[in-house]
Amino acid sequence: MQKAYLNWSSGKDSAFALYKVQKEGTYSVGKLVTTINSEEDRISMHGVRKSLLLEQGESLGIPLQLIPLKGNVPLREYEKAMKNSIDLLKAEGFTHSIFGDIYLEDLRSYREKQLEKVGIKAVFPLWQMNTTHLIREIIAAGFKAITVSVNAKLLDKTFCGRAIDKEFLKDLPANVDPCGENGEFHTFIYDGPNFKFPVNFEIGEISGKNYSPDGKKGERKEKKETWDSEFWYCDLIPV
């Protein structure tokens, strides 16, 4: 098997991508790679506490490689940090990088071009899968996930902190992708067929955040913008 690391978001898509490659046996996944907001000690974008991420890695039995980044890091600094991390992985013998992306062509192209520069091959196990069928397959396989972030322009506060189940899918507006592939919502996976034990937590405060164009983050404000700048976050508290 070829040695690979998986880009671990802590959510359902990366979890199912891992599960799929483990079942197929083409790649040996030796590490889970995750970017961390070093200012908040939480997973970038998802906002999940690092301690819960560490429990995920322990339950899956795969070492984590964390990449600390400032909350509003410029693209050049982000790419430099990623390259440094990938160089270390390549030195350890990793040859492939696995992603849970489904159909965002520009994102796939960006990932492939960046990895090509350092001699790593990108792998997309879920590529172009029908997202309605995919989310049903994820649920049927026994994965347990909860929404930790939702785009406030598309989903109201009640969708944050909800379990990903048939009722959730039934309640989603027609313009929202069932897997949240366009960034409509992000999830935290806490149990599944490849987990040794469930990750335990309590649902904490649900709060709104506004990301202004100058990169500053504050409390959610009631105003209309032309960009996706407002999100609801559900804090998960380790127990």
Side-chain angles (χ1 to χ4, degrees):
M1 290 191 289
Q2 302 180 85
K3 191 172 182 179
Y5 64 90
L6 188 137
N7 297 273
W8 183 255
S9 69
S10 81
K12 57 177 177 47
D13 297 337
S14 58
F16 198 71
L18 172 63
Y19 178 64
K20 197 169 186 295
V21 298
Q22 286 177 326
K23 287 180 65 178
E24 292 172 352
T26 303
Y27 304 98
S28 174
V29 180
K31 277 192 178 179
L32 304 178
V33 177
T34 307
T35 58
I36 294 289
N37 184 326
S38 59
E39 296 173 349
E40 299 181 354
D41 215 26
R42 293 173 181 261
I43 298 173
S44 301
M45 288 299 296
H46 289 207
V48 174
R49 298 172 189 243
K50 187 173 76 172
S51 57
L52 291 174
L53 168 65
L54 297 177
E55 283 199 51
Q56 281 184 324
E58 184 179 350
S59 182
L60 289 165
I62 302 175
L64 285 157
Q65 179 157 316
L66 307 183
I67 305 175
L69 298 169
K70 292 183 179 179
N72 295 299
V73 61
L75 179 60
R76 182 176 295 181
E77 290 184 26
Y78 166 80
E79 291 180 345
K80 181 180 179 181
M82 293 300 295
K83 182 181 183 304
N84 290 341
S85 180
I86 294 169
D87 283 343
L88 293 174
L89 289 163
K90 187 176 179 181
E92 294 177 24
F94 288 91
T95 58
H96 291 72
S97 178
I98 300 172
F99 297 91
D101 300 317
I102 305 170
Y103 55 61
L104 298 180
E105 293 279 359
D106 56 342
L107 184 57
R108 172 171 179 158
S109 178
Y110 172 78
R111 298 196 195 286
E112 289 176 330
K113 287 178 181 177
Q114 293 301 309
L115 289 172
E116 186 178 0
K117 294 176 183 178
V118 292
I120 295 289
K121 178 71 174 178
V123 180
F124 301 85
L126 310 183
W127 191 246
Q128 293 189 336
M129 291 184 69
N130 180 291
T131 51
T132 298
H133 296 161
L134 175 58
I135 190 61
R136 290 174 180 169
E137 191 173 348
I138 291 171
I139 294 171
F143 284 98
K144 306 295 182 183
I146 183 172
T147 55
V148 290
S149 172
V150 303
N151 185 332
K153 278 192 172 183
L154 299 170
L155 296 170
D156 62 44
K157 185 177 180 179
T158 63
F159 280 92
C160 200
R162 282 190 61 174
I164 301 297
D165 54 21
K166 293 179 181 179
E167 287 301 312
F168 176 83
L169 299 180
K170 181 180 177 182
D171 292 341
L172 281 179
N175 63 329
V176 172
D177 184 84
C179 282
E181 177 67 355
N182 299 304
E184 298 96 330
F185 61 89
H186 298 289
T187 62
F188 176 77
I189 195 89
Y190 60 91
D191 199 7
N194 51 356
F195 278 64
K196 297 176 183 176
F197 57 84
V199 177
N200 294 317
F201 59 86
E202 292 179 351
I203 296 178
E205 180 184 6
I206 296 177
S207 59
K209 298 292 182 182
N210 176 68
Y211 295 84
S212 61
D214 62 0
K216 295 180 180 178
K217 181 175 68 175
E219 294 305 312
R220 183 172 181 268
K221 299 176 182 179
E222 297 299 329
K223 61 180 181 180
K224 293 184 179 180
E225 306 286 6
T226 58
W227 51 83
D228 293 336
S229 59
E230 298 183 55
F231 297 84
W232 292 108
Y233 287 93
C234 176
D235 190 19
L236 303 183
I237 304 171
V239 296

PDB file of all heavy atoms in Angstrom, residues 13 22 42-43 46 77 103 116 120 123 137 140 146 149 152 161 176 218 221:
ATOM      1  N   ASP A  13     -17.087  14.485   5.996  1.00  0.00           N
ATOM      2  CA  ASP A  13     -16.530  14.141   4.684  1.00  0.00           C
ATOM      3  C   ASP A  13     -15.119  13.573   4.786  1.00  0.00           C
ATOM      4  O   ASP A  13     -14.790  12.584   4.129  1.00  0.00           O
ATOM      5  CB  ASP A  13     -16.549  15.359   3.763  1.00  0.00           C
ATOM      6  CG  ASP A  13     -17.963  15.842   3.471  1.00  0.00           C
ATOM      7  OD1 ASP A  13     -18.900  15.029   3.588  1.00  0.00           O
ATOM      8  OD2 ASP A  13     -18.140  17.029   3.158  1.00  0.00           O
ATOM      9  N   GLN A  22      -9.648   3.153   3.801  1.00  0.00           N
ATOM     10  CA  GLN A  22      -9.294   2.042   4.675  1.00  0.00           C
ATOM     11  C   GLN A  22      -9.933   0.748   4.180  1.00  0.00           C
ATOM     12  O   GLN A  22      -9.310  -0.320   4.233  1.00  0.00           O
ATOM     13  CB  GLN A  22      -9.735   2.340   6.117  1.00  0.00           C
ATOM     14  CG  GLN A  22      -8.871   3.369   6.822  1.00  0.00           C
ATOM     15  CD  GLN A  22      -9.372   3.711   8.215  1.00  0.00           C
ATOM     16  OE1 GLN A  22     -10.585   3.724   8.463  1.00  0.00           O
ATOM     17  NE2 GLN A  22      -8.459   4.002   9.121  1.00  0.00           N
ATOM     18  N   ARG A  42      -8.221  26.185  18.508  1.00  0.00           N
ATOM     19  CA  ARG A  42      -9.354  25.469  17.935  1.00  0.00           C
ATOM     20  C   ARG A  42      -9.073  25.140  16.473  1.00  0.00           C
ATOM     21  O   ARG A  42      -8.212  25.756  15.846  1.00  0.00           O
ATOM     22  CB  ARG A  42     -10.640  26.297  18.036  1.00  0.00           C
ATOM     23  CG  ARG A  42     -11.138  26.501  19.476  1.00  0.00           C
ATOM     24  CD  ARG A  42     -12.300  27.476  19.508  1.00  0.00           C
ATOM     25  NE  ARG A  42     -12.775  27.719  20.858  1.00  0.00           N
ATOM     26  CZ  ARG A  42     -13.822  27.141  21.407  1.00  0.00           C
ATOM     27  NH1 ARG A  42     -14.526  26.258  20.703  1.00  0.00           N
ATOM     28  NH2 ARG A  42     -14.201  27.412  22.643  1.00  0.00           N
ATOM     29  N   ILE A  43      -9.831  24.185  15.932  1.00  0.00           N
ATOM     30  CA  ILE A  43      -9.671  23.802  14.537  1.00  0.00           C
ATOM     31  C   ILE A  43     -10.066  24.970  13.645  1.00  0.00           C
ATOM     32  O   ILE A  43     -11.116  25.590  13.840  1.00  0.00           O
ATOM     33  CB  ILE A  43     -10.543  22.577  14.211  1.00  0.00           C
ATOM     34  CG1 ILE A  43     -10.111  21.377  15.068  1.00  0.00           C
ATOM     35  CG2 ILE A  43     -10.438  22.219  12.729  1.00  0.00           C
ATOM     36  CD1 ILE A  43     -11.022  20.180  14.925  1.00  0.00           C
ATOM     37  N   HIS A  46     -13.833  25.206  11.568  1.00  0.00           N
ATOM     38  CA  HIS A  46     -14.868  24.505  12.316  1.00  0.00           C
ATOM     39  C   HIS A  46     -15.039  25.049  13.733  1.00  0.00           C
ATOM     40  O   HIS A  46     -16.109  24.936  14.317  1.00  0.00           O
ATOM     41  CB  HIS A  46     -14.569  23.009  12.375  1.00  0.00           C
ATOM     42  CG  HIS A  46     -14.746  22.325  11.059  1.00  0.00           C
ATOM     43  ND1 HIS A  46     -15.065  20.996  10.937  1.00  0.00           N
ATOM     44  CD2 HIS A  46     -14.665  22.797   9.783  1.00  0.00           C
ATOM     45  CE1 HIS A  46     -15.163  20.675   9.657  1.00  0.00           C
ATOM     46  NE2 HIS A  46     -14.912  21.751   8.943  1.00  0.00           N
ATOM     47  N   GLU A  77       1.537  33.335   3.828  1.00  0.00           N
ATOM     48  CA  GLU A  77       1.989  32.697   5.068  1.00  0.00           C
ATOM     49  C   GLU A  77       1.364  31.316   5.232  1.00  0.00           C
ATOM     50  O   GLU A  77       2.004  30.378   5.722  1.00  0.00           O
ATOM     51  CB  GLU A  77       1.657  33.584   6.267  1.00  0.00           C
ATOM     52  CG  GLU A  77       2.490  34.851   6.338  1.00  0.00           C
ATOM     53  CD  GLU A  77       2.208  35.655   7.598  1.00  0.00           C
ATOM     54  OE1 GLU A  77       1.791  35.051   8.604  1.00  0.00           O
ATOM     55  OE2 GLU A  77       2.387  36.880   7.566  1.00  0.00           O
ATOM     56  N   TYR A 103     -16.874  18.130  -5.133  1.00  0.00           N
ATOM     57  CA  TYR A 103     -16.992  18.619  -6.503  1.00  0.00           C
ATOM     58  C   TYR A 103     -16.606  20.081  -6.726  1.00  0.00           C
ATOM     59  O   TYR A 103     -17.040  20.688  -7.705  1.00  0.00           O
ATOM     60  CB  TYR A 103     -18.403  18.380  -7.058  1.00  0.00           C
ATOM     61  CG  TYR A 103     -19.542  18.938  -6.241  1.00  0.00           C
ATOM     62  CD1 TYR A 103     -19.664  20.307  -5.977  1.00  0.00           C
ATOM     63  CD2 TYR A 103     -20.526  18.085  -5.744  1.00  0.00           C
ATOM     64  CE1 TYR A 103     -20.722  20.798  -5.250  1.00  0.00           C
ATOM     65  CE2 TYR A 103     -21.586  18.568  -5.007  1.00  0.00           C
ATOM     66  CZ  TYR A 103     -21.692  19.924  -4.763  1.00  0.00           C
ATOM     67  OH  TYR A 103     -22.740  20.408  -4.038  1.00  0.00           O
ATOM     68  N   GLU A 116       1.831  19.382  -6.296  1.00  0.00           N
ATOM     69  CA  GLU A 116       2.730  19.029  -7.400  1.00  0.00           C
ATOM     70  C   GLU A 116       4.092  19.688  -7.224  1.00  0.00           C
ATOM     71  O   GLU A 116       5.131  19.115  -7.586  1.00  0.00           O
ATOM     72  CB  GLU A 116       2.105  19.456  -8.728  1.00  0.00           C
ATOM     73  CG  GLU A 116       2.887  19.008  -9.948  1.00  0.00           C
ATOM     74  CD  GLU A 116       2.213  19.413 -11.250  1.00  0.00           C
ATOM     75  OE1 GLU A 116       1.136  20.040 -11.192  1.00  0.00           O
ATOM     76  OE2 GLU A 116       2.784  19.101 -12.312  1.00  0.00           O
ATOM     77  N   ILE A 120       3.995  15.577  -4.187  1.00  0.00           N
ATOM     78  CA  ILE A 120       2.987  14.765  -3.504  1.00  0.00           C
ATOM     79  C   ILE A 120       1.766  14.653  -4.411  1.00  0.00           C
ATOM     80  O   ILE A 120       1.345  15.617  -5.046  1.00  0.00           O
ATOM     81  CB  ILE A 120       2.572  15.396  -2.154  1.00  0.00           C
ATOM     82  CG1 ILE A 120       3.755  15.416  -1.189  1.00  0.00           C
ATOM     83  CG2 ILE A 120       1.389  14.638  -1.540  1.00  0.00           C
ATOM     84  CD1 ILE A 120       4.166  14.068  -0.648  1.00  0.00           C
ATOM     85  N   VAL A 123      -5.263  12.886  -3.700  1.00  0.00           N
ATOM     86  CA  VAL A 123      -6.245  11.816  -3.884  1.00  0.00           C
ATOM     87  C   VAL A 123      -7.597  12.307  -3.368  1.00  0.00           C
ATOM     88  O   VAL A 123      -7.689  12.883  -2.280  1.00  0.00           O
ATOM     89  CB  VAL A 123      -5.826  10.539  -3.119  1.00  0.00           C
ATOM     90  CG1 VAL A 123      -6.850   9.427  -3.318  1.00  0.00           C
ATOM     91  CG2 VAL A 123      -4.449  10.077  -3.554  1.00  0.00           C
ATOM     92  N   GLU A 137     -25.364   7.548   2.692  1.00  0.00           N
ATOM     93  CA  GLU A 137     -24.408   6.457   2.890  1.00  0.00           C
ATOM     94  C   GLU A 137     -23.606   6.664   4.173  1.00  0.00           C
ATOM     95  O   GLU A 137     -23.328   5.702   4.906  1.00  0.00           O
ATOM     96  CB  GLU A 137     -23.472   6.372   1.681  1.00  0.00           C
ATOM     97  CG  GLU A 137     -22.615   5.129   1.649  1.00  0.00           C
ATOM     98  CD  GLU A 137     -21.817   4.992   0.363  1.00  0.00           C
ATOM     99  OE1 GLU A 137     -22.096   5.738  -0.598  1.00  0.00           O
ATOM    100  OE2 GLU A 137     -20.907   4.134   0.332  1.00  0.00           O
ATOM    101  N   ALA A 140     -25.960   5.797   7.017  1.00  0.00           N
ATOM    102  CA  ALA A 140     -26.217   4.359   7.041  1.00  0.00           C
ATOM    103  C   ALA A 140     -25.013   3.570   7.536  1.00  0.00           C
ATOM    104  O   ALA A 140     -25.169   2.512   8.161  1.00  0.00           O
ATOM    105  CB  ALA A 140     -26.623   3.882   5.647  1.00  0.00           C
ATOM    106  N   ILE A 146     -22.361  16.100  14.244  1.00  0.00           N
ATOM    107  CA  ILE A 146     -23.166  17.225  14.705  1.00  0.00           C
ATOM    108  C   ILE A 146     -22.673  18.484  14.003  1.00  0.00           C
ATOM    109  O   ILE A 146     -21.472  18.624  13.743  1.00  0.00           O
ATOM    110  CB  ILE A 146     -23.070  17.372  16.247  1.00  0.00           C
ATOM    111  CG1 ILE A 146     -23.975  18.500  16.737  1.00  0.00           C
ATOM    112  CG2 ILE A 146     -21.623  17.590  16.702  1.00  0.00           C
ATOM    113  CD1 ILE A 146     -24.072  18.560  18.255  1.00  0.00           C
ATOM    114  N   SER A 149     -20.871  24.580  12.782  1.00  0.00           N
ATOM    115  CA  SER A 149     -20.831  25.895  12.156  1.00  0.00           C
ATOM    116  C   SER A 149     -21.801  25.902  10.988  1.00  0.00           C
ATOM    117  O   SER A 149     -21.820  24.948  10.197  1.00  0.00           O
ATOM    118  CB  SER A 149     -19.414  26.215  11.676  1.00  0.00           C
ATOM    119  OG  SER A 149     -19.392  27.399  10.906  1.00  0.00           O
ATOM    120  N   ALA A 152     -24.884  31.725   8.247  1.00  0.00           N
ATOM    121  CA  ALA A 152     -26.090  32.410   8.706  1.00  0.00           C
ATOM    122  C   ALA A 152     -26.915  32.989   7.562  1.00  0.00           C
ATOM    123  O   ALA A 152     -28.089  33.311   7.752  1.00  0.00           O
ATOM    124  CB  ALA A 152     -25.720  33.514   9.692  1.00  0.00           C
ATOM    125  N   GLY A 161     -25.660  22.908  15.928  1.00  0.00           N
ATOM    126  CA  GLY A 161     -25.742  22.012  17.074  1.00  0.00           C
ATOM    127  C   GLY A 161     -26.705  20.858  16.868  1.00  0.00           C
ATOM    128  O   GLY A 161     -27.085  20.183  17.815  1.00  0.00           O
ATOM    129  N   VAL A 176     -29.570  24.349  -0.275  1.00  0.00           N
ATOM    130  CA  VAL A 176     -28.419  23.932   0.530  1.00  0.00           C
ATOM    131  C   VAL A 176     -27.994  22.522   0.145  1.00  0.00           C
ATOM    132  O   VAL A 176     -28.813  21.604   0.120  1.00  0.00           O
ATOM    133  CB  VAL A 176     -28.746  23.998   2.038  1.00  0.00           C
ATOM    134  CG1 VAL A 176     -27.616  23.387   2.863  1.00  0.00           C
ATOM    135  CG2 VAL A 176     -28.988  25.438   2.460  1.00  0.00           C
ATOM    136  N   GLY A 218     -15.998  39.694  14.928  1.00  0.00           N
ATOM    137  CA  GLY A 218     -16.711  40.237  16.070  1.00  0.00           C
ATOM    138  C   GLY A 218     -18.029  39.526  16.260  1.00  0.00           C
ATOM    139  O   GLY A 218     -18.293  38.503  15.643  1.00  0.00           O
ATOM    140  N   LYS A 221     -23.606  40.742  13.475  1.00  0.00           N
ATOM    141  CA  LYS A 221     -24.345  41.981  13.321  1.00  0.00           C
ATOM    142  C   LYS A 221     -25.462  41.790  12.303  1.00  0.00           C
ATOM    143  O   LYS A 221     -25.300  41.084  11.316  1.00  0.00           O
ATOM    144  CB  LYS A 221     -23.395  43.108  12.862  1.00  0.00           C
ATOM    145  CG  LYS A 221     -22.273  43.380  13.851  1.00  0.00           C
ATOM    146  CD  LYS A 221     -21.305  44.423  13.306  1.00  0.00           C
ATOM    147  CE  LYS A 221     -20.157  44.659  14.275  1.00  0.00           C
ATOM    148  NZ  LYS A 221     -19.195  45.644  13.744  1.00  0.00           N
TER     149      LYS A 221
END
